[in-house]
Amino acid sequence: MFKREREMESTGEGEGYLPLFETKEAKGQNAYRLFSLSRFVGIIMVWVYRITYTPVELEQRWAWIFLFLAELWFGLYWVVTQSNRWNSVCRYTFKDRLSNRFEDKLPGVDIFVCTADPTIEPPMMVINTVLSVMAYNYPTEKLSVYLSDDGGSDLTFYALLEASHFAKHWIPFCKKFNIEPRSPAAYFSTKADPLLVDSNALSSIKKLYDEMEYRIETATKLGRIPEDIRIKHKGFSEWDSVSSPRDHQTILQVLIDRRNPSAVDIEGGSMPTLVYLAREKRPNHPHNFKAGAMNALIRVSSKISNEKIILNIDCDMYSNNSDTVRDSLCFFMDERKGHEIAFVQFPQCFINITKNDIYGGSLTVITKVDLPGLDGYGGPLYIGTGCFHNRETLCGRKYSKEYKFDYREIVEDKVQESMTELEETTKILADCTFEKGTQWGKEMGLKYGCPVEDVITGLSIHCRGWKSVYCNPTRKGFLGVAPVTLAQTLVQHKRWAEGNFQLLLSKFGPFSCGLGRIKLGHQLAYCVYGLWAPNCLATLYYNVVPPLYLLKGISLFPMKLYEEMEHRIETTSKLGRIPEDIRIKHTGFSEWDSVSSPRDHQTILQVLIGRRNPSAVDIDGVPLPTLVYLARAKRPSHPHNFKAGATPFVVTIHV
């Protein structure tokens, strides 16, 4: 009986089924919707004001019109952004249920770490990221770590070789004391809990790390690998025929082969597979940047390990949570909803944000607002790092209701070649001519031809019917380094804005490709980023033109009634004349057509408010007092007796 209940739970049958993850509406969602509606009313009121009020001066009028167009754009853009805020959800995983049902059936995971320049991305930073993912709280025999070095640097290869030796000490240390985080540099920069970590073990592992760091830093400063080190590993001979980082053959080295009985740590535990790859590059062949590197990794890993789950991270984002793999598997392996999920996206979080974050490097709006909002419509976009993929969906598989994620390991698919033979036969998969005439970069792998290759790839996956999930646990999955200077920020945002705008206008955009395939809210959510670039035009106008007008004493924004009146009178006084468009609005101005001078004119009498008129009331319906304008007749040949002469005229008027 008990056995049958466990079987029902593990297969998703019966009422006793417990999901591996839970989805809840974000807190305060209804309150936000009410607030959003009230703000929309305010936006409409601003539009109505701009339409109904027309400035007097022609110069001010044109500025006013363009200001209204900018406000119209901002309002419409704000409406589009609500797609990312209207239906936000939060996901919660149950790792204990995953362990109870699938601990002996957990799938293998291929981890891709990408680096491109040993100067910008120092080798020590790269290997700290590699070591952090090698030490995941996960069966090590089911992990394979691939480092893609698009810089083709022997210094990076040397650092990875050193890391492969250090990992034999680091992995058992992490698991024995259950430490967090598992990046050595990050861990040693924090204060270890003396109750959890043995001081002797800590001192010993710290000494090994410092020695490794010294050797790597010394080689980096020299700019070359010492000869006594080069002769110890056959891999260094590959660089004898390397012309430059952009002109070299494929370099593929398996530093740890988990199939090898000797690939064990100091305590006899198995080690993850560790592979170095520098794909072939030639000056006359396009290499397609990170997308090309990722596609080469997908092909190479399919020959070496071919695991069902792929994690890709940038080399500057180390693992901060050793249970991140298990969090992602709660989505993929859920019996009822897992078959719909193509990828699980974790947020980009950073450790070097300045106190005031003046350049917005924390991406708070994206990680805390936009991505949960996208998740409510079908899934977040793929942001290129910290993302777990189902290998089949990344390689172009279309969604079908009959599809089920097969987590079982197929032994017969595993390669039986020796590692030396495997290295040689696999190199061709990373050659620069391999993709010619294939669907790689089009229907398979990451797409080419767009600066935001990650976003366009994620959108194409959604358009094939798949969903994605945003996972943001309390302990962040990954921590990285954000741009901290204006120059770095501008370069990054320019690439994002340009790439997303290009995507919006392309045939692969959310409305051209996504029409009828993804929800309208999902399409609009993708458009939020596509409209970043044109949004700068309205922002630039709004920030530059009104201040320039204020320097001339002209306000383009709504003022109080008295201030508006004062502004019109003062402006007219400075001009010394009444603008023609105002003169034609009242018959009284025609009296001045026959005025010779202030001392030679006819009597001018105008009743501006007549209290006998039923319409002469204020905004509350109360009758207004009579208001009369009088300029008595003056002629040079007649004395006007100053104020005494003006008073009798006023007394005789009865309106």
Side-chain angles (χ1 to χ4, degrees), residues 353-365:
I353 299 299
T354 56
K355 181 179 179 180
N356 297 317
D357 191 18
I358 57 176
Y359 300 125
S362 60
L363 306 179
T364 302
V365 174

Side-chain angles (χ1 to χ4, degrees), residues 309-369:
I309 300 297
I310 292 175
L311 162 65
N312 85 277
I313 58 172
D314 291 338
C315 65
D316 60 355
M317 296 203 74
Y318 65 84
S319 169
N320 183 59
N321 186 341
S322 61
D323 282 329
T324 300
V325 176
R326 294 177 181 270
D327 276 319
S328 68
L329 290 180
C330 286
F331 299 103
F332 288 119
M333 301 184 71
D334 184 81
E335 295 88 347
R336 294 187 179 176
K337 296 182 179 179
H339 68 284
E340 301 175 342
I341 298 171
F343 61 89
V344 179
Q345 180 65 65
F346 285 77
Q348 279 186 294
C349 302
F350 306 99
I351 56 173
N352 65 328
I353 299 299
T354 56
K355 181 179 179 180
N356 297 317
D357 191 18
I358 57 176
Y359 300 125
S362 60
L363 306 179
T364 302
V365 174
I366 294 177
T367 58
K368 294 187 177 181
V369 179

Side-chain angles (χ1 to χ4, degrees), residues 582-593 595 602 604-608 629:
I582 295 179
R583 293 180 66 92
I584 62 177
K585 290 180 179 180
H586 197 282
T587 58
F589 288 110
S590 61
E591 295 279 0
W592 273 265
D593 296 340
V595 171
Q602 76 284 9
I604 303 174
L605 178 66
Q606 293 289 320
V607 180
L608 301 179
Y629 173 88

Side-chain angles (χ1 to χ4, degrees), residues 525-630:
Y526 268 101
C527 286
V528 171
Y529 309 103
L531 294 174
W532 272 350
N535 193 51
C536 73
L537 299 176
T539 304
L540 187 64
Y541 182 86
Y542 215 79
N543 281 282
V544 172
V545 174
L548 293 178
Y549 270 77
L550 282 175
L551 290 175
K552 298 175 63 176
I554 302 173
S555 176
L556 299 177
F557 295 99
M559 298 181 290
K560 295 179 180 179
L561 292 175
Y562 176 78
E563 292 173 338
E564 290 180 344
M565 178 187 70
E566 181 183 35
H567 173 72
R568 291 192 295 270
I569 294 172
E570 293 291 346
T571 301
T572 304
S573 300
K574 289 178 182 179
L575 286 172
R577 58 181 177 80
I578 310 300
E580 193 60 34
D581 58 334
I582 295 179
R583 293 180 66 92
I584 62 177
K585 290 180 179 180
H586 197 282
T587 58
F589 288 110
S590 61
E591 295 279 0
W592 273 265
D593 296 340
S594 55
V595 171
S596 301
S597 72
R599 296 186 179 183
D600 186 7
H601 60 79
Q602 76 284 9
T603 296
I604 303 174
L605 178 66
Q606 293 289 320
V607 180
L608 301 179
I609 300 177
R611 65 187 178 196
R612 293 181 298 178
N613 189 331
S615 63
V617 293
D618 61 23
I619 60 173
D620 294 326
V622 179
L624 288 167
T626 296
L627 181 62
V628 180
Y629 173 88
L630 171 66

